[in-house]
Amino acid sequence: MQDGSLLQQLDPSHLAAPHRSLPRAVHCWSEEQLTNQLQVPVLKSRDTEAKEKGGLLCDLVLEQDNHHLNSRSPVHVWGYFFDCMESERSQRMGNACIPLKRIAYFLCLLSALLLTEGKKPAKPKCPAVCTCTKDNALCENARSIPRTVPPDVISLLFTSNSFDVISDDAFIGLPHLEYLFIENNNIKSISRHTFRGLKSLIHLSLANNNLQTLPKDIFKGLDSLTNVDLRGNLFNCDCKLKWLVEWLGHTNATVEDIYCEGPPEYKKRKINSLSSKDFDCIITEFAKSQDLPYQSLSIDTFSYMNDEYVVIAQPFTGKCIFLEWDHVEKTFRNYDNITGTSTVVCKPIVIETQLYVIVAQLFGGSHIYKRDSFANKFIKIQDIEILKIRKPNDIETFKIENNWYFVVADSSKAGFTTIYKWNGNGFYSHQSLHAWYRDTDVEYLEIARMPQTLRTPHLILSSSSQRPVIYQWNKATQLFINQTDIPNMEDVYAVKHFSVKGDVYICLTRFIGDSKVMKWGGSSFQDIQRMPSRGSMVFQPLQINNYQYAILGSDYSFTQVYNWDAEKAKFVKFQELNVQAPRSFTHVSINKRNFLFASSFKGNTQIYKHVIVDLSA
C-alpha cells in the first residue's frame, strides 16, 4: 500500500467516530480494549491527564526507532489508537506502518499547535453598559467604572452615569488610552491614584461634575498630558486645593479657566490667577509630650558647654532639678540637682564659660552655686544677704555694657528689691530699689524714650501695694532711677515684655479683673487689649520661630493660649491647656524641637511640644 492511499484512509472523515473502517494493517481500539488486549496500562503523554479529550500521546511515537516499527506499538491520535499488527497482510505490505506512524507524528504536531493557540487568553469583551469600536468606547448609565474595557482603546468616554466616586487604579490595563472624558456625571470624589498607569494619556476631561476638591498629586505620572478640562465643578478654594494652584503655575499642560465656588472671600475668583501666598495653611498647636511627677514654680532654660538644659524650682522638696535632653529616647531626663529648702527660683547665669545658679529660698536664706566641672557637681560659693532678701519672689538676669547683673524682687514688708553685680570673683550688692513695697516681679527690658533714639535699659517692678513702677538706667551714675509708673493698673502681679516688628509690648497679669496688653508709645505704655482674668498669676508672652504667643494661666479654669494676629495687631484665642495652678510658662528649644514647659503649684509639671501642621499636605 502506498503512502498516498494511507493518507486517504486517514482523512478526518474516516476519523469522525471510533472503529471506522481502516486498512487491516491499522487497528483502531478504544482505551479499554487496548488495555485488555495488551494487559498493560495505556501509555499517555504528560498532558493527556489534563486533556483526555483530544489529548496526545505523541512522545511514544517520537521515541520509536526503526527496529520497533513492526512491533506492537499503539499510537494515540485524537482519541484513536492505531496498532501495527504482524498479520499476514501486514507482512505482505512490508513496512506499511512506517508511513502510518509518520502521519501520526504529523497529526501530533498539528494538534499541539492547535492546543497552544487555544491557550491564549480571550480578549475582554465590551462591557454591557458600553458601546465599543476598535479604538473607542462610550459608557452610559453605569453604576461603576467597568473593569473589562478592551485594552486597545485609545478614547474612552463616560457620560450620564450614576456612580459618584472613582477609586484607585480605576483604569488599570489601558496602556494605550490617550483620551479620557468623564463628563456630565455626578462625580464627587476621586482617589489620588485613580489615573495611575495612564502614561499615554494626552487629554483628560472632568468637566461638569460635582467635584469640590482634588487629591494632591492626582496628575502624577501622567507624563504625556497636554490638556486638562476641569470646568463646571464646585471647587472650594481652601488649603486642600493649594497644591492645584501651585501645579497650575508650573505645568506645561493647557488647562481651561476654572473658578472657586467657596469660601465666600474667594467665590467666583479664577483659580488660575491665585498664588500659593493666598492660602494660609500652616497651623500650630501645643501637644502634650511629657509629664514630670512633681510640683514646680519657676522654670528656666540655659546653654552650657554646647548643650541645652532646663532647671526647675520645686518648692515642696526644696530642690533645683536640672534636666537634659535624651537624644536616644527623645525625652527630658534628670541631669543633676541642688538641694535646699522651700526653693522658689533657680536662676542660671553663664558668665564666659562658667555656670552659676542663684537659688532663692523662702527659708534658710538664698545662695549662689557654681558648677565645678572637675568635681562634676554644684558647689555653694556665696550667700545672699538675708537682711535685704527676706522673701524672694522673682529673679531677673541681664547684661549692661559688658557687666553682668541680677536683681531679686523681694515681697516681704521689710525687704528690699536689690540689684547685684558681678565683680570677677562673685556678686556684690550694687543697688537697692523700692524698699518696703512688697514687690512680686521684676522685668528687664530696653525701650527708647524718643523716636529714632537708642534703646536704654529699664526695669519694671510689680507690687501688690501700688502700680507698676518703671526705672531707667542712668549711664553716668551706673544706677537705675525712678522714672514713672503705669497708671490705672493697681494690683498687678507681674509684667512681661515682648517685641513685634520693633515695637515693645508688655503683658500685665492681674489675679482678678482684666489682665492687659499695652504698647510702648515713646513716653508711656498705652492700652491695646484686655483679657479677663480668673485667678491668674502668670501672663507670659513667648516667641517660637515666627509665632508670637501669650499664655494666660488660671487657678480656676483652663489656661488660655493666644496667638498674635499681625493684621489686627492683637492677640486672638488659639488653644486651651489644662494646667493646675500654673505659675510659669517657658519656651525650650532643643535639636530643632520646640517645647513649652508649664509649671504647676498643685499638680504635675507638664511639657508640651510645639507642632506645626500643613493643612495643604
Side-chain angles (χ1 to χ4, degrees), residues 500 505 517 519 528-529 564-572:
V500 175
Y505 298 81
V517 179
K519 179 182 178 181
I528 295 296
Q529 191 175 3
W564 181 260
D565 189 316
E567 293 183 1
K568 298 178 181 178
K570 60 174 58 179
F571 286 106
V572 295

Side-chain angles (χ1 to χ4, degrees), residues 273-304:
S273 66
L274 296 176
S275 70
S276 58
K277 296 180 180 178
D278 294 315
F279 298 86
D280 184 13
C281 299
I282 305 297
I283 65 169
T284 62
E285 67 172 346
F286 292 101
K288 192 71 168 294
S289 174
Q290 190 176 348
D291 259 355
L292 303 178
Y294 43 76
Q295 294 86 1
S296 57
L297 282 178
S298 73
I299 299 177
D300 279 281
T301 180
F302 62 96
S303 298
Y304 177 62

